[in-house]
Amino acid sequence: MVDQQPIDPARIPTHVAIIMDGNGRWAQQKHRPRLYGHKVGVESVQEIVECASEWGVKVLTLYAFSSENWKRPSVEVSGLMGLLKSYLLSELSKMLKNRVRLISIGDTQRLPRDVQEVLERTIEETAENDGLILNLALSYGGRSEIVQAVRQIASEVLAEQISLDEIGEKLITDHLYTAGLPEPDLLIRTGGEARLSNFLLWQASYAEIYFTDTMWPEFRRSAFSQAIAEYQGRERRFGRTSAQLGSG
Ligand code: IPE
Ligand code: IPE
Ligand code: MG
């Protein structure tokens, strides 16, 4: 056993975003259907949400279904939609107890009607909670998010509600699905691949990225605390030099 590095409670990342990858391969290694991996992956979601709440993370964004995942075989897509719906239904009481507020980003109009309804209801019922913000990225794609922001901004210009010189980084940020949320500090990808897969393209520009070979169904408390400990050991310079940071 490798000794666990303790995490510093005073320097918990405000916003953690996770690409939960590796469910299918994990199941296949065990000669089980891919959907079994997604089911066990839900248990990881439950544990990671609990840890994030307990450790004082303010926002946890989970990439649960990408705009490209619609291209998967329809049995897998419907299996995932079923798991999402049952997760939302079964977690509501825990969210209320732990003061977790659920929100979502993505083109959620594409989700099946019944899933949309449960999602909307859970969002409404947890809207007053002041604990962890659990942000589910569903039918989410970073490029299409930017496209819809550009369209909205263009229509505001055409309607003469804003002028061209008001278009800047802040205005674009405010037209993304994540408007109002802080940028991710730590972006984790499980499952061994080192790519963004269209996740938070604009928002992650200064996120600390942490790739791990651990498959999502096995990413639990100790793996999460290890990721946070590594994050805490990094120096975030935002373009400056180390010496500048030292002098404030
Ligand atoms: C991540 O696991 C979950 C979703 C994308 C919905 P995968 O299903 O991508 O698992 P692998 O990458 O094929 O192992
Ligand atoms: C990214 O994983 C999307 C989610 C985890 C929801 P994928 O498995 O879909 O990504 P690629 O296709 O390997 O890039
Ligand atoms: Mg994958």
Side-chain angles (χ1 to χ4, degrees):
M1 271 288 279
V2 184
D3 268 1
Q4 277 290 310
Q5 227 179 305
I7 56 176
D8 176 355
R11 290 186 303 121
I12 296 294
T14 302
H15 183 175
V16 178
I18 308 182
I19 303 175
M20 308 184 289
D21 195 27
N23 294 349
R25 280 166 289 152
W26 179 82
Q28 281 169 330
Q29 284 161 9
K30 299 187 147 17
H31 309 284
R32 301 291 297 265
R34 292 178 56 86
L35 202 60
Y36 174 68
H38 297 312
K39 278 195 190 131
V40 179
V42 173
E43 294 169 22
S44 294
V45 171
Q46 290 164 330
E47 188 161 326
I48 296 309
V49 169
E50 257 174 51
C51 292
S53 275
E54 191 184 313
W55 298 340
V57 171
K58 298 278 185 277
V59 184
L60 177 68
T61 297
L62 298 179
Y63 202 7
F65 195 85
S66 75
S67 49
E68 287 71 36
N69 289 149
W70 291 113
K71 296 177 204 156
R72 292 194 178 190
S74 62
V75 278
E76 182 162 347
V77 171
S78 57
L80 283 164
M81 292 301 142
L83 281 175
L84 171 60
K85 186 177 168 185
S86 64
Y87 169 78
L88 292 170
L89 289 171
S90 71
E91 291 308 284
L92 178 63
S93 58
K94 213 197 281 171
M95 288 183 197
L96 294 172
K97 182 168 152 265
N98 296 333
R99 312 212 51 77
V100 172
R101 179 180 157 208
L102 185 87
I103 60 172
S104 73
I105 54 173
D107 185 6
T108 52
Q109 303 295 320
R110 280 185 80 183
L111 299 173
R113 194 60 243 169
D114 59 324
V115 177
Q116 277 184 53
E117 277 166 15
V118 178
L119 179 66
E120 278 159 27
R121 212 178 325 133
T122 314
I123 290 172
E124 273 166 33
E125 291 185 30
T126 61
E128 303 299 320
N129 288 349
D130 55 8
L132 173 74
I133 296 177
L134 173 59
N135 180 25
L136 294 184
L138 298 168
S139 188
Y140 174 87
R143 285 189 172 184
S144 64
E145 175 183 42
I146 293 170
V147 169
Q148 68 79 36
V150 169
R151 284 206 181 122
Q152 245 176 282
I153 293 168
S155 72
E156 288 168 29
V157 172
L158 283 175
E160 295 181 354
Q161 289 160 345
I162 56 167
S163 64
L164 269 187
D165 40 296
E166 281 175 80
I167 300 176
E169 292 188 14
K170 166 104 173 61
L171 191 90
I172 293 175
T173 300
D174 291 346
H175 282 78
L176 298 174
Y177 295 132
T178 50
L181 295 177
E183 286 182 2
D185 300 293
L186 170 61
L187 192 160
I188 298 170
R189 183 173 187 143
T190 64
E193 311 288 5
R195 53 178 171 257
L196 286 177
S197 301
N198 207 9
F199 191 45
L200 301 178
L201 297 181
W202 173 276
Q203 298 90 334
S205 60
Y206 260 106
E208 292 299 326
I209 305 187
Y210 178 86
F211 294 112
T212 170
D213 288 336
T214 303
M215 298 289 167
W216 179 252
E218 290 185 354
F219 191 84
R220 299 294 168 98
R221 176 176 288 260
S222 72
F224 190 23
S225 82
Q226 210 177 313
I228 292 184
E230 180 171 322
Y231 163 86
Q232 291 181 334
R234 295 190 192 173
E235 180 178 67
R236 301 184 77 190
R237 290 189 288 277
F238 299 99
R240 295 171 187 270
T241 66
S242 255
Q244 282 180 302
L245 297 174
S247 63

